[in-house]
């Protein structure tokens, strides 16, 4: 059953687990978070498995671990409700698009990362707010796929259930994921439309855009709304 998530409470620091196998990078990130502040590094390891037991708010993930690219692990981690911020030197647009499509909340390029920019992105992700970093903006702007934003299957499913007057908690239960993840799917769709020059800040505008692009059929929304009304489903 999905639970309600409204971001990390402001009363405590945002906790981060770092997956990185290069000690020089680990030392640099540790120095960023050494002074008590809004972000605290609570775990670090050279493999994904080495930090999975932690309850960090955000997972800062390098993509190349011990010579192996772990892009294919991103979807698995996101499906489990983990907030993922990719921290990688592999800033090729196709790589950035792949991890975003898989569910990552943000992508930070190691080559241009600063303490302030990294902290800002982590805080935005922890608050479940959309974040667009320079590598993400470039990846979206150079996307040569059809002009409409490309939504992952899970992003489309979350939007469809939400448009069908389901609450976000009900969408989470239906999809077997956390409500926070549903919010991330919806926010990522909004980010993609905004980057394409078609901002959709409201649910109604997002629905119009999705129908215009053929991502959602009008009858899909109408049919469930009628059923929801009969079953007493509370809209979100």
């Amino acid at each position: 059953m999905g639970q309600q998530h409204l971001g990390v409470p402001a009363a405590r620091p945002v906790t981060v687990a770092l997956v990185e196998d290069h000690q020089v990078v680990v030392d640099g990130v540790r120095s960023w978070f050494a002074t008590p502040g809004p972000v605290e590094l609570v775990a670090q390891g050279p493999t994904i498995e080495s930090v999975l037991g932690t309850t960090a708010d955000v997972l800062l993930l390098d993509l190349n671990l011990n010579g192996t690219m772990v892009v294919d692990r991103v979807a698995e981690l996101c499906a489990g409700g983990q907030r993922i911020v990719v921290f990688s030197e592999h800033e090729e647009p196709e790589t950035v698009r792949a991890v975003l499509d898989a569910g990552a909340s943000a992508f930070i390029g190691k080559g241009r990362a600063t303490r302030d920019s990294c902290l800002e992105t982590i805080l935005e992700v922890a608050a479940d707010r959309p974040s667009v970093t320079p590598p993400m903006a470039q990846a979206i702007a150079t996307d040569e796929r059809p002009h409409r934003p490309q939504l992952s299957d899970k992003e489309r499913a979350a939007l469809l259930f939400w448009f069908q007057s389901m609450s976000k908690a009900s969408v989470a239960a239906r999809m077997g994921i956390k409500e926070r993840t549903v919010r991330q799917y919806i926010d990522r769709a909004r980010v993609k439309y905004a980057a394409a020059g078609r901002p959709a800040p409201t649910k109604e505008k997002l629905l119009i855009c999705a129908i215009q692009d053929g991502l959602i059929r009008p009858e899909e929304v109408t049919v469930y709304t009628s059923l929801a009304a009969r079953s007493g489903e509370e809209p979100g």
Side-chain angles (χ1 to χ4, degrees):
M1 175 67 68
Q3 297 179 350
Q4 185 174 7
H5 295 272
L6 298 176
V8 176
R12 69 167 177 81
V14 170
T15 55
V16 174
L18 171 66
V19 180
E20 171 61 63
D21 62 338
H22 288 90
Q23 191 59 46
V24 65
V25 177
V26 173
D27 292 342
V29 173
R30 284 190 180 280
S31 71
W32 287 349
F33 304 142
T35 303
V39 175
E40 178 183 0
L41 185 65
V42 297
Q44 180 274 322
T47 65
I48 293 172
E49 286 70 25
S50 64
V51 302
L52 283 184
T54 66
T55 56
D57 301 311
V58 175
L59 182 64
L60 194 60
L61 175 68
D62 185 17
L63 287 181
N64 190 342
L65 300 175
N66 301 303
T68 300
M69 293 292 284
V70 295
V71 175
D72 59 343
R73 299 290 303 278
V74 174
E76 165 197 339
L77 293 168
C78 293
Q82 180 68 62
R83 298 180 180 95
I84 301 292
V85 173
V86 172
F87 185 52
S88 175
E89 63 185 4
H90 294 278
E91 300 182 42
E92 305 85 1
E94 57 272 20
T95 301
V96 178
R97 287 193 291 267
V99 297
L100 294 179
D101 288 346
S105 298
F107 186 108
I108 298 174
K110 286 183 178 179
R112 64 183 96 188
T114 65
R115 177 183 182 276
D116 289 345
S117 65
C118 188
L119 288 177
E120 180 181 2
T121 299
I122 289 172
L123 291 172
E124 287 177 342
V125 169
D128 296 324
R129 295 192 299 265
S131 177
V132 181
T133 63
M136 294 168 65
Q138 181 181 12
I140 295 172
T142 59
D143 192 348
E144 296 181 353
R145 295 176 295 184
H147 74 282
R148 70 184 187 188
Q150 298 296 303
L151 304 185
S152 68
D153 290 342
K154 289 186 177 180
E155 286 169 351
R156 181 191 177 279
L159 286 180
L160 175 58
F161 292 143
W162 187 49
F163 292 148
Q164 291 172 338
S165 295
M166 295 179 72
S167 66
K168 293 184 180 72
S170 295
V171 174
R174 178 74 175 270
M175 296 180 68
I177 58 179
K178 295 184 178 181
E179 185 176 346
R180 180 182 69 221
T181 306
V182 173
R183 294 179 185 275
Q184 290 174 346
Y185 287 152
I186 294 171
D187 284 342
R188 280 203 301 271
R190 285 197 168 112
V191 166
K192 291 177 181 180
Y193 270 106
R198 300 164 64 195
T202 66
K203 184 176 184 178
E204 292 74 16
K205 179 61 176 177
L206 191 55
L207 173 59
I208 290 171
C209 289
I211 289 176
Q212 287 175 339
D213 290 344
L215 298 172
I216 303 291
R217 300 192 307 275
E219 59 269 24
E220 289 181 296
V221 178
T222 303
V223 170
Y224 187 86
T225 301
S226 175
L227 293 174
R230 291 201 299 271
S231 63
E233 176 77 46
E234 183 178 343

